[in-house]
Amino acid sequence: MLESELERAADETKAKGIVGIVTNVQTGEVLALASWPGTSGYNRATSSLYEMGSVFKTFTVAGVLDTGLATIGTELDATEPLMTSDGRRITDYHAQNRVMTLEEVYLHSSISVRRAWRGCWG
């Protein structure tokens, strides 16, 4: 059923690929997991890389601060989009396009949080 809904959504939106994950919100149990297109042996949900986004910024910034590798005043470059190793260009939704402190990055920039992570852990 999930696969057919993904295919319908892909047709409707002209998406190149879609991932669907259904969980029990009470327990976190994964009830269904699928991706479209259904390439043999490849599932985008388990085999693709995804950006951390705003939800994980808290954990990333906490880790950077906890290790002592940065302070809340550490400056990070948010002037340019982030290029991934596979050539994808990632931009902030509300880009500030300037150098920002880690505190400002936490509020305004997912790409610079990723840069902070890379700077600390490669």
Side-chain angles (χ1 to χ4, degrees), residues 33-87:
L33 183 139
S35 68
W36 180 92
T39 307
S40 179
Y42 181 77
N43 185 317
R44 289 176 185 267
T46 59
S47 301
S48 293
L49 298 176
Y50 296 94
E51 292 310 307
M52 297 179 285
S54 294
V55 173
F56 288 98
K57 285 198 301 188
T58 300
F59 301 107
T60 305
V61 170
V64 170
L65 293 171
D66 189 52
T67 61
L69 296 172
T71 69
I72 203 71
T74 297
E75 292 185 337
L76 297 160
D77 185 1
T79 59
E80 298 288 331
L82 180 70
M83 297 302 293
T84 64
S85 59
D86 63 354

Side-chain angles (χ1 to χ4, degrees), residues 92 103 105 121:
D92 284 324
E103 180 178 15
V105 162
W121 291 284

